[in-house]
Amino acid sequence: MARQLLEAQVGHSSVAVVREVPFSAAVEATFRAGIEAGARWTIAVDADILVRPSAVGTLVAAAEASPDGFFHLQGQVLDRSFRIPRPGCPRVYRTSMLPRALSVLAAAVGEARPESQVSSQMAAEGAASLSIPDVLGLHDYEQSYSDLFRKGAFHTRKHQRRMPYSRVMWRRLSRSEPDYRALLAGAEYADSPDRDIGPDIGLFDRREIEQLLAAKGLHEKRELKTARTEVSAVVEAEIAGWRAPAEYRIWQARKLIPSGARRACRGLAAGIAGVGR
């Protein structure tokens, strides 16, 4: 479905599918595909993104309107795991700079965020990365339970600062939405300090995950058969109807309180726990 949504905006022949693992290899293949295509801009979209109908046009317009010399530009996505908009794919790269980016990428193999490593180095060389506030799609919606399990495990290590509110929110939502049961199962899997999660989300034993999910009463979803136009309508509705979850608002409020004043706000911690009951 992710590919269909893109093809509706740029045409079938303009989309190249990259399947390499680990993720650094996928980034390399993306850069090489962009160089080969030879267009002014190369747009990268992860397979777990459902883009809105205006996404490509918004990205290209922002790139064309930006100062010369920047390397990379990205928007926001509404994230299923954290229930907030956050920076992410789709990204647009200046194709003429991708050969240099490939050289930089060679030193980022095995990193959890190879794209970020490349962008940081390119910025150090004078080719900045830019961002726009537009929400361009949904991230991790309509994903398999196995993929959500992997995300739950990976987020526990990669996004530790978000986990205090996320786990409480996942527990609350898991009562009615199986996706969050899968995320919680992944987080529990990663809780063991002896568990080697590794830097790449693609390197998990899928059979082991399926067994762990089955123990939680989760059996894999069927393939999504919804028509593209219906999915596009859902994407638009989800973005238009977004509201920050209570757990996130409480977490943000607590972050803004000076450390010396926190004793006067003990109710915030109780509030977080209470939301998850």
Side-chain angles (χ1 to χ4, degrees):
M1 182 54 67
R3 179 173 182 172
Q4 292 178 37
L5 293 174
L6 277 174
E7 288 178 349
Q9 298 180 52
V10 301
H12 175 79
S13 62
S14 296
V15 177
V17 178
V18 170
R19 294 187 172 89
E20 280 78 1
V21 292
F23 187 54
S24 56
V27 175
E28 178 183 352
T30 300
F31 288 176
R32 292 192 184 281
I35 294 169
E36 183 177 349
R40 176 175 169 80
W41 306 110
T42 296
I43 296 177
V45 184
D46 293 345
D48 55 10
I49 303 290
L50 299 176
V51 293
R52 62 195 312 182
S54 59
V56 172
T58 299
L59 266 182
V60 171
E64 294 285 359
S66 295
D68 290 339
F70 80 92
F71 166 61
H72 154 264
L73 181 146
Q74 68 179 355
Q76 307 274 320
V77 287
L78 181 56
D79 189 88
R80 178 74 165 158
S81 300
F82 301 122
R83 304 284 289 201
I84 58 170
R86 66 187 186 95
C89 274
R91 309 170 187 270
V92 59
Y93 294 96
R94 188 182 296 275
T95 304
S96 62
M97 293 184 179
L98 290 180
R100 172 55 186 155
L102 278 173
S103 299
V104 175
L105 180 64
V109 173
E111 296 288 342
R113 299 180 179 181
E115 291 166 311
S116 297
Q117 293 285 102
V118 170
S119 295
S120 295
Q121 180 58 38
M122 295 294 286
E125 297 178 10
S129 289
L130 307 176
S131 61
I132 56 175
D134 305 67
V135 178
L136 302 177
L138 304 180
H139 178 237
D140 276 343
Y141 284 68
E142 301 299 339
Q143 293 297 293
S144 69
Y145 293 139
S146 294
D147 286 334
L148 291 168
F149 178 101
R150 291 186 299 127
K151 289 292 176 70
F154 201 60
H155 287 337
T156 299
R157 302 290 177 87
K158 181 179 177 182
H159 296 290
Q160 293 182 18
R161 70 185 185 88
R162 295 189 187 276
M163 296 314 293
Y165 87 84
S166 297
R167 282 181 184 259
V168 176
M169 181 180 67
W170 292 353
R171 283 195 291 272
R172 171 173 63 85
L173 295 172
S174 68
R175 299 170 193 150
S176 57
E177 299 186 53
D179 280 4
Y180 293 96
R181 290 167 59 192
L183 283 165
L184 271 176
E188 292 168 1
Y189 177 87
D191 281 342
S192 171
D194 300 326
R195 191 80 70 186
D196 182 17
I197 300 302
D200 196 280
I201 196 169
L203 304 180
F204 278 77
D205 185 332
R206 186 169 289 273
R207 181 169 295 182
E208 179 187 12
I209 292 174
E210 290 173 352
Q211 292 173 348
L212 292 169
L213 288 172
K216 298 285 186 180
L218 291 172
H219 301 281
E220 201 50 88
K221 301 175 182 177
R222 297 179 179 179
E223 183 181 352
L224 183 65
K225 299 289 188 180
T226 310
R228 176 184 57 78
T229 52
E230 293 180 36
V231 173
S232 291
V234 170
V235 171
E236 292 295 303
E238 284 285 341
I239 293 171
W242 175 77
R243 298 291 182 275
E247 295 89 347
Y248 177 77
R249 295 197 304 270
I250 293 169
W251 178 68
Q252 285 291 89
R254 189 172 189 274
K255 284 171 61 183
L256 294 173
I257 299 171
S259 57
R262 287 183 182 171
R263 292 191 194 89
C265 298
R266 291 175 182 169
L268 286 170
I272 290 177
V275 169
R277 287 189 188 129

